Amino acid sequence: MNDIARPKAILFDLDDTLWPIGPVIAEAERGLHAWLAEHAPKVAQAFTIEQLREQRMALLAEKPEHHLDLIGLRRAALEAAFRHVDEDLARLDGAIRHFTAARNTVELYHDVLPGLQRLAEKVTLGSVSNGNADLEVIGLAHHFKVSLAASRFGKAKPDPGIFLAACEALGVAPGETVYVGDDLRLDVEGAQKAGLRAVWMNRTGSTAHLEAGIVPDAICRDVGELIAWLEQQLAD
């Protein structure tokens, strides 16, 4: 490997890397709207799921700092909807609890659990996410020595600070760390600019990296391919 350090740690993105998030959010939003129809009917009658989503995106555009905490964004937008129709704000906490529980009802990609177990035999594992997944609830927390979330850390990918903080917490140098994620800009480019190597988890066979002009250190379709790549790095 010449002057390239052997990997000692792998950091993972979560949403759309370890599980698909789009269907989860869609189902959580449908469930939330049904909950509102029962517990905060004035909101459900005044706003469709799409209208609530549009209001949330408008609030994010107005106050981009909300990108650090997407549950906080959802709460702020929902509170505005409650106030608009004079709905009882005491029911807001229940609405957020209902959504959060559904948001953590994820289905892992089939390769993730066996893959994490095999990887843990070779390197230290951690996670860095801009999302609000609760790894304790999902049942994955014990696989990771360190887990950083933008909402708690105060900086979000692609800011180098969150990558570097995770490396420091793991006790490894950035050059000894590999970041694995599905987003070319946030995950691959962000990690590389922080001095980490970056693997693009490209489960769909996309060629978007070519148009983006981003060159991942490796491209893998699943965790099995990641393991094969890592074993090659460790053997060289």
Side-chain angles (χ1 to χ4, degrees):
M1 291 179 62
N2 301 323
D3 59 346
I4 300 177
R6 284 180 171 81
K8 292 184 178 179
I10 292 180
L11 293 167
F12 281 93
D13 171 54
L14 300 176
D15 293 332
D16 284 329
T17 296
L18 302 187
W19 55 75
I21 193 58
V24 174
I25 296 299
E27 182 60 31
E29 290 185 343
R30 285 192 293 269
L32 172 61
H33 204 266
W35 187 96
L36 291 171
E38 181 177 354
H39 300 281
K42 286 187 281 188
V43 176
Q45 291 164 8
F47 301 100
T48 65
I49 294 173
E50 183 59 37
Q51 286 170 332
L52 289 172
R53 186 179 300 124
E54 289 171 356
Q55 287 197 348
R56 194 166 61 255
M57 293 302 99
L59 179 59
L60 180 61
E62 180 185 341
K63 297 183 177 180
E65 63 271 18
H66 276 301
H67 81 283
L68 285 173
D69 183 3
L70 299 180
I71 292 293
L73 168 65
R74 189 173 294 274
R75 182 187 181 90
L78 200 54
E79 180 178 344
F82 270 58
R83 292 186 183 279
H84 182 76
V85 296
D86 197 27
E87 184 58 272
D88 184 0
L89 287 173
R91 297 168 183 170
L92 183 58
D93 285 345
I96 295 300
R97 283 195 301 270
H98 187 85
F99 176 85
T100 301
R103 185 258 182 270
N104 285 307
T105 306
V106 303
E107 184 174 347
L108 304 179
Y109 291 114
H110 68 89
D111 53 285
V112 168
L113 274 181
L116 291 177
Q117 291 164 357
R118 287 185 61 191
L119 285 169
E121 298 171 355
K122 306 174 186 298
V123 292
T124 304
L125 304 182
S127 72
V128 173
S129 176
N130 283 2
N132 292 92
D134 188 325
L135 291 172
E136 291 286 353
V137 172
I138 292 169
L140 286 184
H142 64 285
H143 290 282
F144 303 116
K145 182 178 179 182
V146 168
S147 292
L148 292 186
S151 59
R152 293 190 293 273
F153 182 69
K155 293 180 181 178
K157 300 178 298 184
D159 190 296
I162 194 166
F163 295 105
L164 297 176
C167 293
E168 183 177 359
L170 288 174
V172 293
E176 300 171 327
T177 308
V178 176
Y179 190 79
V180 180
D182 69 288
D183 190 290
L184 285 166
R185 186 179 67 86
L186 300 181
D187 298 334
V188 175
E189 188 176 58
Q192 289 177 333
K193 286 185 175 180
L196 292 73
R197 277 187 286 172
V199 172
W200 185 29
M201 186 61 76
N202 178 16
R203 294 181 177 274
T204 64
S206 168
T207 59
H209 62 301
L210 301 178
E211 294 87 59
I214 294 173
V215 183
D217 292 273
I219 301 174
C220 297
R221 292 185 70 98
D222 55 32
V223 181
E225 289 191 4
L226 173 65
I227 292 169
W229 175 81
L230 176 65
E231 289 176 339
Q232 182 178 14
Q233 307 307 301
L234 295 174
D236 286 350

